[in-house]
Amino acid sequence: MNAPQSWYNESRVHQPGSTILNSWRADRQAARSAVPQAATPVSEITRGTAMFDVLTGGFGPGSTGVPVNEQTAMCVSAVYACVALIGGAIGALPLNLFKRTADGRDSYSSDLWWLFNEQPWSNWTAGSAWSFAAQSIGLRGDGFWRIHRVTPYTNQIQGFEPCHPGRMAIVRQQGRNYYRYIQDDGTEVVIDQDDMLHFPGVGFDGVRSMSPLRAALRPQAGIALAADEFAAAFFRNGARPDFALKTSGNVTKEQADLLRATWGEKHSGVHNAHLPAVLTGGLEVQQLTMNAEDAQLLTTRKFQVEDIARIYGVPPHMIGYTEKTTSWGSGVENMSIGFVRYTLVRYLTGMRQEINRKIWPRNNQVFCEFNLDALLQGDATAQAGYFSKALGGPGTQGWMTINEVRHLKNLKPLPDGDRLVQAGAAGAPAQTPAPEESTEPLKGKNDAPDAETTDQ
């Protein structure tokens, strides 16, 4: 965890470890005592988008007059699809733990693997927790996981609790962030920055990120919602535009009212929408408004899909919009790979860096990394070509063993599959055994800071 700035000074460098740890605990306790109390009005300490919709009920109407908040924005199919796609992709990625060694890195055995990949908190699966963090970033700008430790003064972690960003307020004092969170039972708790995983989004200023609902989605989602309402009203009326009944003669006010009431009774509603009209006395029907195609209703709705996909950095074909592209081919495959490289990595980089600096502070040995191989791999033909080159052959240097390839494909290892194929001097392949690795797993020493910092 990050200690207060006052904890580090030159006079403590050569002190015994127990003395340094006691000083750090005393400084942290002092910092905790300076945290703003719950009596402080939330409006005085809140920056960015914190708790606005909790206190007021939403972000208010946009330019279309339609209120845009998290609930209404998710009613737009394009927003829902983008958020679900990004969250689902991140939730499906494994988070691997490693420890740097003299010749590279090795897998790192720790109880934290279960928290990151299976169950971070009692009522959360890892997939749903990662998806919720991505959804929070995509709608509110920031995702939050509260770190629950065994005691307040150790780095030993018992779980991560996902927190709703709409119930979070942040105050910054003396260079540190303090998180005021409204819990499920309505009580408020103040959490130090060392005990909160804060996953930032676009425009992070050290406290909060920009809210996509405010910065970009408000007008686009508002237009999409207004178009949906118009379309619903249009088809609720039997997809029949407004019209007038015209006659060459004159009618009295009483006759016009009677004609209007009679027409409404006979031809309004769902069951009467398509009944044929019987006109007498020289009456004619004249259309007054444009039809759906002339009003460009469908064009407007299609454009909103493209615009919302652009905001989230999602290729339109990945949310079902395939009008301007095909569902097959190398172009679509390259766009899908670009989605991983340029959209998902933007989320994953902030998550990975936040975990590394909060879970293993100032430790350049242990780190975590998301495995993107499952999302970046091509089709069966492309994979076969890639693995053929990786295994090596006549005149070709191999950089993977058979068992390494089988491990990626979830297959059992072969007894003689750990040999690396190397190109011989005369072009003939020569097989040499790969360097032997220790079968003893690297233990995480229960991930306590007292133990971890001794590795530095």
Side-chain angles (χ1 to χ4, degrees):
M1 62 194 72
N2 292 339
Q5 297 295 328
S6 60
W7 173 76
Y8 178 84
N9 58 63
E10 293 295 332
S11 63
R12 292 178 175 173
V13 173
H14 302 292
Q15 293 181 3
S18 59
T19 303
I20 295 177
L21 185 59
N22 290 335
S23 299
W24 173 82
R25 288 172 173 170
D27 287 344
R28 182 170 179 182
Q29 183 62 34
R32 285 176 176 272
S33 63
V35 175
Q37 300 302 312
T40 306
V42 172
S43 60
E44 295 180 9
I45 67 170
T46 301
R47 291 182 61 181
T49 62
M51 300 182 69
F52 179 88
D53 50 342
V54 173
L55 300 177
T56 65
F59 293 102
S63 57
T64 60
V66 179
V68 178
N69 51 42
E70 182 180 1
Q71 287 72 31
T72 58
M74 289 293 282
C75 291
V76 180
S77 61
V79 175
Y80 182 94
C82 288
V83 172
L85 175 67
I86 295 174
I90 293 177
L93 293 176
L95 183 66
N96 297 329
L97 308 182
F98 300 98
K99 189 165 186 175
R100 292 181 177 89
T101 61
D103 57 350
R105 64 181 182 180
D106 287 324
S107 297
Y108 180 69
S109 178
S110 170
D111 293 340
L112 291 176
W113 184 92
W114 174 266
L115 299 179
F116 286 128
N117 292 278
E118 297 296 338
Q119 180 178 291
W121 199 236
S122 59
N123 57 330
W124 289 84
T125 64
S128 60
W130 286 117
S131 297
F132 182 74
Q135 173 185 328
S136 300
I137 297 173
L139 294 176
R140 307 300 185 98
D142 298 276
F144 302 95
W145 280 13
R146 182 182 178 183
I147 304 174
H148 287 271
R149 305 185 189 276
V150 176
T151 69
Y153 305 110
T154 180
N155 200 35
Q156 187 175 355
I157 296 172
Q158 66 179 26
F160 303 98
E161 179 187 4
C163 299
H164 197 288
R167 288 150 51 182
M168 186 75 69
I170 306 175
V171 57
R172 186 169 182 82
Q173 287 188 357
Q174 299 178 353
R176 296 181 65 80
N177 289 345
Y178 299 97
Y179 297 80
R180 290 177 55 181
Y181 183 62
I182 299 178
Q183 302 181 98
D184 294 340
D185 58 2
T187 59
E188 185 180 271
V189 61
V190 180
I191 306 168
D192 184 80
Q193 67 178 18
D194 291 337
D195 297 325
M196 181 69 69
L197 290 178
H198 183 171
F199 305 128
V202 176
F204 182 66
D205 62 358
V207 178
R208 292 299 288 252
S209 305
M210 296 174 61
S211 166
L213 283 177
R214 289 174 176 267
L217 281 177
R218 188 178 181 186
Q220 305 307 327
I223 293 174
L225 288 169
D228 286 345
E229 289 185 3
F230 180 82
F234 184 84
F235 288 102
R236 187 166 51 244
N237 195 34
R240 185 187 65 245
D242 295 336
F243 57 88
L245 297 178
K246 184 176 67 173
T247 180
S248 58
N250 296 326
V251 294
T252 64
K253 181 179 183 301
E254 290 76 10
Q255 290 174 328
D257 293 340
L258 178 61
L259 181 61
R260 185 181 298 109
T262 303
W263 182 274
E265 180 181 351
K266 295 292 185 181
H267 301 286
S268 63
V270 177
H271 300 290
N272 299 328
H274 301 287
L275 291 179
V278 179
L279 304 178
T280 59
L283 290 175
E284 298 179 2
V285 176
Q286 179 177 350
Q287 181 176 312
L288 294 181
T289 60
M290 297 179 291
N291 57 35
E293 187 65 26
D294 293 335
Q296 297 184 343
L297 172 62
L298 298 179
T299 303
T300 299
R301 302 184 74 188
K302 291 177 181 178
F303 175 77
Q304 294 310 313
V305 173
E306 295 184 65
D307 213 22
I308 292 172
R310 184 183 303 112
I311 291 172
Y312 280 106
V314 173
H317 77 275
M318 297 189 72
I319 57 173
Y321 184 78
T322 58
E323 178 175 323
K324 296 183 180 180
T325 184
T326 64
S327 298
W328 309 96
S330 59
V332 171
E333 180 180 340
N334 289 334
M335 284 191 291
S336 301
I337 294 176
F339 164 71
V340 176
R341 291 177 177 173
Y342 305 115
T343 299
L344 289 188
V345 169
R346 185 177 65 194
Y347 287 76
L348 300 177
T349 299
M351 293 176 174
R352 172 181 57 81
Q353 292 177 346
E354 179 72 356
I355 292 172
N356 284 334
R357 77 188 189 98
K358 292 287 181 68
I359 306 304
W360 302 285
R362 299 180 303 280
N363 188 333
N364 60 358
Q365 299 298 317
V366 181
F367 64 97
C368 68
E369 195 173 273
F370 287 95
N371 186 355
L372 297 175
D373 290 342
L375 297 179
L376 291 175
Q377 66 184 10
D379 55 24
T381 303
Q383 289 186 59
Y386 173 81
F387 287 138
S388 295
K389 294 180 180 180
L391 291 172
T396 304
Q397 174 67 52
W399 66 86
M400 294 182 70
T401 66
I402 294 177
N403 281 344
E404 287 174 337
V405 174
R406 293 179 65 85
H407 176 73
L408 293 177
K409 304 304 294 183
N410 294 320
L411 299 174
K412 293 182 178 180
L414 298 177
D416 195 31
D418 291 324
R419 294 181 177 272
L420 186 65
V421 176
Q422 296 181 340
Q431 290 188 342
T432 59
E436 295 185 1
E437 298 181 358
S438 173
T439 58
E440 183 69 21
L442 294 170
K443 191 59 181 174
K445 299 179 183 179
N446 208 21
D447 297 293
D450 302 3
E452 286 294 337
T453 52
T454 60
D455 294 337
Q456 301 181 36

